[in-house]
Structure formats: C-alpha cells, structure tokens
Amino acid sequence: MKDEPVDFALIGHQESWRATADVFALLRGPEYPPVPDEEIMSIVPWIPPRAVCHVQTHSRLGRKANGLYIDSFIPPDRLDPAFLQENLKRVRGAAAYAIKAGARIVSLGGFSSILIEGNFDMIPDRGATVFTTGNSLTVAFIVSGIRKMCAQEGRDLRHATVLIVGATGDVGSGCARCLAPLAGRMILCARNMERLRRLQEELEMQGVPVDVAASILELPARADVVVCAASLPSPSLLLGQLAPEAVICDAGYPKNLAPLANRNGWKVFYGGLGQVTSGMTFAPAVGGVLNRHPFRDVVHGCLLEGMTLAWERRFEPFSEGRGFITPQRVEEMEKMADRHGICLAPLYNSDGPIEIRHDCEPEGIGQWV
Amino acid sequence: MEAASRMNDATAVVARTTPLEASIWQDVLAQAITGELIASMNYESLAEICTDAEEKADALEHAASERGHAAAFANEGRGLGVVPQDNVEGQYWKRLRAAFLRCIAERDFVGCLIIQEVMLESFAVASYARIGKVGPGSLGKTFAAIAAEEEEHIDHAMSTLRADRALDAQSFDEKVHRLHLDVMTTLAEMLAREDKNGHCEVCHGNCMKASLPGVGLTTSELRGASLQQYLTTLDMLGLPGEMTLEWVTRLPV
C-alpha cells in the first residue's frame, strides 16, 4: 500500500483533544508508557502537517484506490478567527504535503475548506494535483438525512419551515438550494446580509417563500426543520427559537449542538456523513480511532467525495467552493458515490444510534432536483 | 563609537536583568556553550575520518565556527555578570557525544552528519531561535544570529544526505531510525519537564527548567520547536511523514 501511487488524499484535523490523544496513543503503541494528555497538548501543535496513515479502498464495482489521510494538526481549541493565519499556514502545508506525495485529487475536510474558501490559488505549485472541497457530497448526505429523519418523524417537508444556519457558506447555500424546492417556507440565517439577500432572490424565483435573518435572535418564525451548517458559538440561543420537537441536523465541525438539544426533546442527528459499504483498510491501523462514529467505515461526506472521484478516475475540482453548489451537481455526486457503494451513514446523535423504521429508509437518491 | 554603543547596550541589559533572571540565563548559556563545544569536538572527530581533503577542511572550519559560538555565548555571560560553567561530561551531553563517537568508530560519515546536522542542529536552531526572541539585548541578538548560522550548516549537509538517500532510501531510513532511537531519545529526556535521570550536571544549581518561564521560555516550547525543526528537516530529506510521526510519538516525555 505504501509504495503504490496516491490516487487521493484527505486533509483533515481532529475535532477534540480526546480524538487527538487517541490518535497519538495509537501511533505510540501499547508497548510504550502512556503520555499524559497535557503533554500531548503541548507536543501536537508543533507537529508539521503530514500523513498519518495510508488508506486503501475498494469500490462496489471492484475498483481500488489508494489514498493518504493527511492531518493539518490544527489544535482543536484553536479554530477561532484569532488563529486564522496560523491555521491557513497549516492547511497550505497539508496541501503541499499532498502535492509532494503525488496525490491526484485532494479533499479538504473539516475546517480546511472553510479556510481556503474555494480559493485554490492560495495553494501554490499544485502541479497535476487537483483539489475539491468535497462539499457537494456533504450537502447530499445532509439533505438525505433530513428527508429520512422527517419520514421517520412523520413530518411533511412541504408544510415545514426550514431554517438554514450558516446559509451563505458553501454547505449552507447548497443545502438551501436543495431543500427549497421541497419545503413550505425557508428561513436563511447568516451574518452577511448582502449575500443572504442574493440567495433569497435566487430561491424566491423558484416560488419558495424565503425570509432572512442576520442573527438567530431575529428569526421571523419558529422552524420545524433546521440545518446547522456550521458550529454554533451559542447553541442554546438557537434552541430557544425552534418549534417543539423540531428536526435538527447538526452538520458543523466540530459538532456542538446535539448534547444540549437531546435533553430537550428536539430530534437531532449528526449530518453530512456517509458510509463506505465495501470497506477501507488503514496502515497503520488507525481506522478505529479516526472513525469516531458508532458504525464502521463512516466518514465525512467531504472526504468521501475525493475517494469517489478517484474511483471514477475523474480527477477534477468537482466542488470548487464559493457557494456554487447546485442541486444538479449534488445529485450527480450522490449517484456517483452510490454506484461505488458509498451511502448515507446510519443516523445517530450524542445519545447513540437512532432507530429508523424500515419504511423510512431512502427511497432512492437525488429526488430533490 | 560602535564599541561604546555596545557597551551602553550591555550596561543597560545588566541593569534591567534581575539576579534571578541572570541566574537562569547563566544556565541557559551553560547548556548552549556545552552544546557548541560538543559540536566542535564532533566536527574535529569527523575531520579525522574524512577521506576527501575538501570535506576535511569543511569539518575543521565548522569545528572552529562552533568554538567561536561557544566563545560568543561565554562573552554574553560576562555581559550579564555571570560565569556559565560548561561541562561536556554532563550526563546528557556525554551520551550524545558517545553516540557520535560510535559512528566515528564505524567511519560512518553519513551517520555522523545525521546526528550532528539533522538531530543536534535541529535542536540548536529551534532552541536558539526561541531564545533569540526573548533574550535581553545583545544576548537575544547573539542567539538569533547563531541560530541563523547553524541553519546554514544544515542546508550545507542536506545535499550530501539527499544524495545518499537517493542511492538506497530504505537503508538510509533505517539508519536514521537507529540513530533517532539513540540521539533523539537522549534529547527528549533532556527536554522533558522533569529530569528523571537526576541532575543534568550542567546547570549550576537546581534544574533550571522550572524557572524558565522567569525569562519568557518553557521546556515544552523548546521541545516543541525542536521536534518541529527535526520533522521538517526529515521531510526535506524525503523520509515518509507518517513514519517520522510514529517515531516522534514514541519519544520519552
């Protein structure tokens, strides 16, 4: 696996110090004395971006692709704007590592794509390597999850008020475009009012009533269905604005909404996740600690997009960022992933797996276009 | 005129430095001087096994340069009114020297370069650069200037090491790993928060590590910066990042 050409690279970072410490401990091995967490927290921020493991994947069609998981080692507690330049440097370093490794396509996971904001020119000397934000597949899994959860809860999206928090971002605007044709009413929430107005106009042209709000404290109505496309600084503020038993998709990274919401009766699930049904192999065997979900081979959609494109031998910047995700592209990507055996991951939240009735399993894909 | 200005600068630094701070700098300088003397001895030993006249001249030039660094640090001590005591027999430095001498005994020129230029210089460059940022007056400037000079040493050795790796990457990487287990383990123990092996035999009183925040430094910062420089240097040589990451996670803390 190590000496084979690198078809794809996945750039990511750990969402918590617990996850970081687990990866560190696994790499260190059981034969060495454990390292206290505070020592790990003092060492990890100094580690330059680099590969953590090789990943070998097999598609349902029998295609093989070799990849690398590259960690930018962004410390989990340094995601706020004060560390923007430092984190950008790390993402660029991770991208340079992928390019040097000869990766043909690179997916930008977690915060990486937000930092680059679709401006791949920030990554110099890309050579033959192409980059995708991976957000088309993330949007596909968020929307599929919403449909599945609404079916489970007996909600009719056509009569629902759907709120998108972080609506002007790449993932948020993609979700808004995919959900608007299905929803009764849309509420878009984001700080940039100019971009919100543009998206509002675009969606209203399709005949959907759309309201906008620059703050979650200014929402014009109570939402029944919510997509949190970004981590929330104050989850409790949002929860106070929602209808009782609202369906909520927590799609931020890191996720910080679910533990609070689960205690209060809302129907929360973690969104944007897919499952590789034909399996993955990691060397060294870090798969068990990188996958922190209660099901095997579950990965964020953004990372799975690069894997899918590698199987398809379509080395192209499928998702370029900057809010250009359309329902057509989302459908195309979801069908492509499905063909190779990547499907919506079983739904779960911080309390564990969510039991879904059989009649609520996906009826097919791409039905929102 | 320039000499008078330097003297004024030094006088001002002494006036601003408290006795506690001067005592901490004394130990920092003692470690730096010892490291430079070890480096000088290593280059002198290296010269003895060089078969190429130019390489031999280079090694001797580096040895002289490292002695010059030691003298510059000693001079900074005098400027602060302290006398840093070097000790190349101090437990950690002695182990590092012994590792180098094992390569000399095997006439392993490449192994010597890996120890001195990749491992010890990574430690020196990163540590000196951090000290250069917080050191008062000419002390900080001296550390920063020597960090830059040491970095040039690394650049100089890189082409030789890259060429050797190009011949047989697997053997090269195995050699680096073998030396890593020896040398980097010693450096990691030296930079650990506590001296589990007892006194380092270089500091003039108790271990200085706990006192470092008194001059704007911490052991975890020096260790982190050193590991970062080391990993970056190994990346530049072409060693797989996932492999060197595993090595570093296994070091003692």
Side-chain angles (χ1 to χ4, degrees), chain B residues 77-93:
Chain B
R78 280 191 288 279
L80 285 173
V82 295
V83 183
Q85 296 291 330
D86 61 86
N87 180 12
V88 294
E89 293 296 314
Q91 59 161 320
Y92 296 114
W93 292 109

Side-chain angles (χ1 to χ4, degrees), chain A residues 2 23-24 26-29 31-32 34-36 38-39 42-43 45-54 68 73 90 97 100 283-284, chain B residues 130 181 193 220-229 231-232 235-246 248-253:
Chain A
K2 284 181 183 169
V23 172
F24 193 98
L26 195 135
L27 292 174
R28 185 170 168 87
E31 64 273 35
Y32 294 87
V35 178
E38 69 267 22
E39 292 281 13
S42 81
I43 293 171
W46 296 94
I47 297 175
R50 62 197 42 249
V52 170
C53 61
H54 291 254
L68 279 180
F73 290 104
R90 287 176 188 272
Y97 193 100
K100 195 174 170 193
Chain B
R130 307 304 290 185
L181 291 173
R193 222 177 284 228
S220 61
E221 179 191 8
L222 294 177
R223 174 181 62 188
S226 299
L227 289 178
Q228 185 180 62
Q229 178 77 38
L231 285 170
T232 304
D235 288 348
M236 284 158 58
L237 285 174
L239 276 81
E242 68 275 22
M243 182 174 80
T244 56
L245 176 63
E246 274 190 352
V248 163
T249 60
R250 290 172 183 172
L251 286 171
V253 293

Side-chain angles (χ1 to χ4, degrees), chain A residues 120-136:
Chain A
F120 296 147
D121 292 337
M122 290 173 83
I123 303 164
D125 305 324
R126 296 193 296 282
T129 302
V130 297
F131 286 77
T132 180
T133 65
N135 287 339
S136 297

Side-chain angles (χ1 to χ4, degrees), chain A residues 49-345:
Chain A
R50 62 197 42 249
V52 170
C53 61
H54 291 254
V55 189
Q56 193 170 73
T57 61
H58 294 275
S59 132
R60 188 161 61 192
L61 301 180
R63 294 186 199 168
K64 194 179 89 171
N66 292 305
L68 279 180
Y69 169 67
I70 298 170
D71 205 307
S72 56
F73 290 104
I74 293 176
D77 53 1
R78 294 190 196 170
L79 293 175
D80 58 81
F83 299 100
L84 176 71
Q85 290 307 318
E86 181 189 319
N87 291 339
L88 258 178
K89 192 175 163 195
R90 287 176 188 272
V91 175
R92 282 201 203 104
Y97 193 100
I99 294 164
K100 195 174 170 193
R104 298 193 65 187
I105 188 157
V106 183
S107 276
L108 298 169
F111 229 58
S112 316
S113 67
I114 297 171
L115 288 167
I116 297 285
E117 281 187 330
N119 188 358
F120 296 147
D121 292 337
M122 290 173 83
I123 303 164
D125 305 324
R126 296 193 296 282
T129 302
V130 297
F131 286 77
T132 180
T133 65
N135 287 339
S136 297
L137 196 51
T138 297
V139 170
F141 289 141
I142 290 172
V143 176
S144 291
I146 288 281
R147 291 170 60 225
K148 189 170 176 176
M149 197 68 177
C150 283
Q152 164 82 2
E153 295 298 319
R155 312 287 172 80
D156 187 346
L157 263 173
R158 285 171 301 182
H159 299 114
T161 297
V162 177
L163 165 66
I164 312 280
V165 181
T168 56
D170 207 33
V171 170
S173 58
C175 288
R177 289 189 188 98
C178 291
L179 286 167
L182 309 175
R185 177 185 182 183
M186 297 291 291
I187 304 174
L188 309 177
C189 180
R191 277 169 298 190
N192 188 325
M193 192 46 85
E194 193 185 326
R195 286 163 77 176
L196 267 183
R197 295 271 182 224
R198 279 204 299 272
L199 187 59
Q200 180 186 27
E201 276 177 31
E202 180 190 327
L203 298 183
E204 280 181 338
M205 281 168 65
Q206 299 169 27
V208 191
V210 181
D211 289 300
V212 294
S215 156
I216 49 177
L217 295 173
E218 299 165 9
L219 300 179
R222 286 186 176 258
D224 317 294
V225 175
V226 183
V227 175
C228 289
S231 296
L232 295 168
S234 309
S236 56
L237 287 181
L238 169 69
L239 294 169
Q241 310 293 313
L242 306 181
E245 301 195 339
V247 167
I248 305 171
C249 172
D250 186 354
Y253 188 89
K255 301 188 187 305
N256 59 359
L257 184 60
L260 197 58
N262 285 346
R263 289 201 297 270
N264 291 286
W266 290 285
K267 309 295 177 190
V268 185
F269 71 97
Y270 291 150
L273 302 166
Q275 187 172 39
V276 183
T277 56
S278 41
M280 298 188 287
T281 316
F282 296 85
V286 293
V289 292
L290 288 180
N291 175 11
R292 306 188 73 77
H293 315 288
F295 309 99
R296 59 170 300 155
D297 298 332
V298 169
V299 183
H300 286 272
C302 51
L303 301 178
L304 291 173
E305 183 171 308
M307 207 181 284
T308 301
L309 290 166
W311 279 329
E312 282 282 307
R313 315 308 287 173
R314 277 179 66 169
F315 300 107
E316 60 185 78
F318 192 92
S319 305
E320 293 187 87
R322 302 178 186 174
F324 293 137
I325 293 179
T326 62
Q328 290 75 21
R329 295 285 276 175
V330 171
E331 181 181 7
E332 183 186 356
M333 175 48 68
E334 193 183 31
K335 280 183 173 166
M336 218 189 296
D338 183 72
R339 193 160 57 237
H340 291 284
I342 291 178
C343 60
L344 175 67

Side-chain angles (χ1 to χ4, degrees), chain B residues 43 100 110-126 150 153-155 157-162 172 176-177 179-180 183-184 187 225-237 239 244 247:
Chain B
Y43 281 119
F100 190 87
V110 166
C112 289
L113 285 188
I114 292 168
I115 292 180
Q116 185 58 42
E117 305 286 6
V118 176
M119 297 172 180
L120 298 181
E121 297 293 9
S122 285
F123 167 58
V125 167
E150 301 288 22
H153 282 195
I154 298 177
D155 290 343
M158 290 305 275
S159 55
T160 307
L161 294 175
R162 274 201 209 98
F172 183 91
V176 177
H177 189 213
L179 297 171
H180 164 93
V183 175
M184 292 309 289
L187 282 174
S226 299
L227 289 178
Q228 185 180 62
Q229 178 77 38
Y230 173 57
L231 285 170
T232 304
T233 306
L234 295 181
D235 288 348
M236 284 158 58
L237 285 174
L239 276 81
T244 56
W247 295 357

